Amino acid sequence: MENLDMINSSAIKYYFSLQLKRFSRKAADYEIPTIVLVVLILAAFILASVFLFYKSPMAKWIYPFAGAYATQYFSDKQVQSIFTTKQSFILNLVSKLLIATPFMGFLIYKMEWLSLVILFLLTIIMAFVPQGRNVNFKVPTPFRSRPFEFIIGFRRSYIFVLLAYFLIFKGIQVGNENLAFASFSFLFLLSMSYFFIPENEYFVWINSKTPHQFLMVKIKTAIINVSVLTILPSLVLLIFYTTLWYVVPIIYAVGYLYLITIILGKYAAFPNEISIPQSIIILISMICPPIMIFTLPSFYKRAIQKLNPILAC
Amino acid sequence: MLEIIDIKKSFGKKEVLKGISLTFEKGNVYGIVGKNGAGKTTLFRGIAGLETCHGKLNSEFDILKNHLGFLPTNPIFMSKITGWEYLKLFSLARNVKEDDFEEQNIFELPLSDYAEHYSTGMKKKLALMAILLQQNDIYILDEPFNGVDIQSNLIINDIIQKLKNLGKIVIISSHIFSTLADNCDQIHLLREGIIVKSAEKAEFQSVEDEMITDIIGDKTSNLRLK
């Protein structure tokens, strides 16, 4: 038994050393030293966090949920199938705490103790959610007629969608408009995350569309689907906060713009994942929207170039 | 008609296709045989435009791929997508307005289940159904019989004959020579990136003999079985 535990502990250590190797190899792909990539990611993270807290009074509410979602999003879904139940729980917990650490660190810096406790509790709860379990329970979605990003994304994140809905209504109930609007904004952030991972090029190839038509359909579908996801809470917010009627259209306008940026950014990198340098450009564009005058046409042009050999052959 | 002229493809220094020229006529079924690594899949991906190759492709279509259904050897599936949603995705991709797939579900697949949980054969059948629903003019089927049960094999044979009668071009690869002999009007033997033999129906036996020599040769004697 003791011997088995030793093997388990070695396996866990080996797993994390492999993750480190994978990260270093990714850095090597971008031809930058690992330490520089770490600094870049941290700098981008701090920049985004400072911006969020500077711009939005709702930040302290958005932040713990964004952190909890990140722990879920970046978790390794293969762990469950490789390791024993006990090992996968430990791996899951440690991985999630590691991913949550920068978020927790920033909350400590901001002395947002309540948000910190919420994030910590959510992270622990998330560790109990098995990763990549082979279940055939089908989550119904309102996006059936327009596959596929929102169907997949919604099925992976429906707990967070329900949580956001709950917090919108809770915010209204306790008279905390910041919580309500923050949770509403979070729905847009969730939708954006559905476009982070590129599909196999075969699923682009099957389309009989020009690259321009393809991108337009993607954008149109995303706008329709995010509207479906947000229409009910937006009406409720408009009814309960009539004096703040302008907030909802502003969130919609910014949310749509960010979504378009992510879609164009995704296909500008296609068939690869959005690279770290590209992520930083996207992030800077979001922080300073006037830059989008340059970045959006550039992403669009690059996306057309990347899609052209696949769609126009 | 689809004509491929002097198609070449290299991966680094390795030349996988060494100048292949073939003509495919409407209402005909073509078989491509060859052992693993002969270049069948690369050739198919090249015709489909999924692989950049040197050479020329002539067809009556402005954009060939918009009229071409390609069934890969191992169909790709996204996670958390049901069979129904997979079919819908493929239909929408070719602007086919179809919502009720129950009647076309001749393989009796559980369309409301996640496709990622299907068996190998079921995945193959779903992928085949998806490209058939697109109403293509040319079909490239890379190992369509792999992992599929005997009943479905019969159905696939029937589908190929229906496509032929409808005037479609069908190009198939298979390791099972008999399935090609049953279905094809012409078979091409591919070896190390070159078409070494092309045969009409009457000469299929000679292709099979050559293929057996090519694949087995005298290798089993090396086992020194006693």
Side-chain angles (χ1 to χ4, degrees):
Chain A
M1 191 66 196
E2 193 180 312
N3 198 23
L4 186 67
D5 280 345
M6 195 183 76
I7 291 164
N8 287 350
S9 131
S10 313
I12 290 169
K13 273 183 204 158
Y14 186 65
Y15 171 81
F16 281 111
S17 73
L18 270 184
Q19 299 310 310
L20 195 63
K21 263 189 202 165
R22 285 179 64 210
F23 184 79
S24 301
R25 285 170 186 161
K26 206 146 215 169
D29 286 345
Y30 303 133
E31 294 177 353
I32 47 177
T34 308
I35 187 71
V36 175
L37 186 59
V38 171
V39 171
L40 276 176
I41 293 172
L42 275 179
F45 174 80
I46 292 168
L47 191 68
S49 304
V50 169
F51 174 74
L52 184 68
F53 275 84
Y54 173 69
K55 278 281 182 188
S56 172
M58 318 166 213
K60 64 176 178 180
W61 299 111
I62 295 178
Y63 211 73
F65 294 102
Y69 182 63
T71 66
Q72 192 71 355
Y73 189 88
F74 292 109
S75 293
D76 188 348
K77 312 291 185 288
Q78 302 298 322
V79 163
Q80 193 87 4
S81 61
I82 301 170
F83 294 96
T84 63
T85 313
K86 190 181 165 190
Q87 281 176 320
S88 23
F89 175 74
I90 295 168
L91 277 175
N92 207 4
L93 180 66
V94 176
S95 306
K96 281 181 164 47
L97 284 172
L98 281 172
I99 297 165
T101 302
F103 291 88
M104 289 184 189
F106 197 79
L107 287 173
I108 291 168
Y109 164 72
K110 295 297 285 184
M111 291 192 280
E112 293 292 353
W113 308 115
L114 179 61
S115 302
L116 180 69
V117 171
I118 292 172
L119 174 57
F120 183 74
L121 289 176
L122 282 174
T123 306
I124 301 293
I125 293 166
M126 287 296 145
F128 284 92
V129 179
Q131 297 297 300
R133 204 169 58 179
N134 194 23
V135 286
N136 208 9
F137 164 63
K138 197 176 78 221
V139 180
T141 90
F143 312 113
R144 197 167 179 249
S145 58
R146 290 184 188 83
F148 61 95
E149 288 94 344
F150 273 76
I151 290 183
I152 298 172
F154 183 84
R155 286 186 176 142
R156 283 182 177 161
S157 65
Y158 68 96
I159 290 173
F160 287 92
V161 174
L162 294 176
L163 190 66
Y165 284 170
F166 170 76
L167 288 173
I168 291 168
F169 292 110
K170 200 73 194 161
I172 292 169
Q173 193 187 32
V174 299
N176 185 341
E177 69 265 25
N178 284 338
L179 175 64
F181 284 118
S183 306
F184 181 63
S185 311
F186 183 67
L187 290 171
F188 284 90
L189 288 177
L190 267 184
S191 305
M192 283 160 60
S193 75
Y194 301 165
F195 290 88
F196 284 170
I197 307 291
E199 63 271 35
N200 186 291
E201 61 185 339
Y202 181 66
F203 293 109
V204 173
W205 177 86
I206 56 170
N207 289 279
S208 55
K209 293 177 180 69
T210 64
H212 172 76
Q213 288 168 337
F214 177 82
L215 287 173
M216 290 306 115
V217 168
K218 283 280 168 192
I219 290 170
K220 190 179 133 196
T221 308
I223 287 176
I224 292 172
N225 285 351
V226 80
S227 304
V228 168
L229 200 63
T230 52
I231 190 76
L232 184 68
S234 71
L235 290 175
V236 174
L237 286 169
L238 284 169
I239 291 166
F240 282 92
Y241 296 108
T242 42
T243 52
L244 295 169
W245 63 269
Y246 53 88
V247 179
V248 169
I250 289 172
I251 294 174
Y252 264 111
V254 174
Y256 286 156
L257 194 62
Y258 283 9
L259 205 53
I260 293 168
T261 310
I262 284 287
I263 293 169
L264 293 180
K266 172 187 168 182
Y267 288 103
F270 196 80
N272 301 316
E273 285 180 30
I274 300 175
S275 67
I276 304 290
Q278 277 173 319
S279 309
I280 292 169
I281 295 170
I282 292 173
L283 186 66
I284 293 170
S285 307
M286 287 174 173
I287 290 171
C288 183
I291 295 176
M292 285 184 187
I293 296 169
F294 304 103
T295 51
L296 281 186
S298 158
F299 283 154
Y300 172 79
K301 203 176 153 191
R302 187 100 183 111
I304 296 283
Q305 281 172 356
K306 292 279 184 173
L307 291 170
N308 216 35
I310 304 167
L311 284 172
C313 52
Chain B
M1 190 189 77
L2 168 66
E3 191 182 17
I4 58 171
I5 305 163
D6 201 23
I7 297 287
K8 289 179 183 167
K9 175 73 189 177
S10 298
F11 293 109
K13 284 181 182 168
K14 188 172 166 54
E15 203 175 6
V16 181
L17 300 178
K18 299 169 181 168
I20 291 180
S21 299
L22 291 168
T23 304
F24 304 104
E25 301 284 349
K26 282 183 181 178
N28 280 296
V29 182
Y30 298 88
I32 308 281
V33 287
K35 60 182 182 183
N36 291 341
K40 300 187 295 288
T41 299
T42 309
L43 175 64
F44 287 168
R45 285 177 60 85
I47 297 173
L50 281 161
E51 209 75 71
T52 320
C53 297
H54 291 288
K56 216 172 165 194
L57 278 163
N58 290 329
S59 78
E60 64 192 278
F61 308 110
D62 287 342
I63 299 173
L64 175 64
K65 66 163 271 297
N66 291 352
H67 302 268
L68 196 152
F70 175 46
L71 176 75
T73 321
N74 299 307
I76 305 142
F77 291 91
M78 289 180 262
S79 63
K80 303 212 181 292
I81 284 276
T82 65
W84 188 94
E85 287 157 356
Y86 185 85
L87 296 178
K88 181 73 183 171
L89 177 70
F90 273 67
S91 302
L92 277 179
R94 294 288 161 87
N95 302 316
V96 175
K97 309 273 180 238
E98 187 68 67
D99 264 337
D100 183 14
F101 303 117
E102 281 312 315
E103 201 184 335
Q104 287 112 316
N105 186 11
I106 51 170
F107 295 113
E108 296 171 2
L109 297 168
L111 294 182
S112 56
D113 288 356
Y114 286 149
E116 63 190 304
H117 297 152
Y118 281 15
S119 69
T120 312
M122 284 159 84
K123 282 180 178 166
K124 198 98 191 188
K125 289 185 263 185
L126 181 68
L128 178 62
M129 240 182 104
I131 60 166
L132 290 172
L133 286 168
Q134 291 184 321
Q135 312 286 355
N136 290 294
D137 295 290
I138 301 169
Y139 289 89
I140 296 180
L141 313 176
D142 198 354
E143 301 289 350
F145 304 99
N146 252 17
V148 176
D149 56 46
I150 191 77
Q151 294 89 336
S152 303
N153 258 324
L154 295 172
I155 296 175
I156 295 172
N157 278 335
D158 196 40
I159 289 169
I160 292 168
Q161 288 312 310
K162 287 251 166 19
L163 293 173
K164 176 184 159 71
N165 296 338
L166 285 166
K168 315 276 185 184
I169 295 172
V170 185
I171 310 167
I172 321 168
S173 79
S174 178
H175 291 303
I176 310 160
F177 194 86
S178 61
T179 56
L180 292 182
D182 292 345
N183 286 301
C184 295
D185 298 293
Q186 201 174 50
I187 292 177
H188 303 286
L189 177 61
L190 187 64
R191 186 190 294 152
E192 293 174 2
I194 303 168
I195 298 289
V196 291
K197 193 173 180 75
S198 294
E200 303 288 331
K201 257 199 185 312
E203 306 159 293
F204 282 175
Q205 189 57 52
S206 66
V207 178
E208 189 173 14
D209 293 343
E210 189 154 340
M211 202 177 136
I212 290 167
T213 314
D214 187 24
I215 293 170
I216 303 173
D218 200 27
K219 282 174 192 157
T220 46
S221 63
N222 294 345
L223 287 171
R224 295 174 196 155
L225 294 172
K226 286 179 185 169

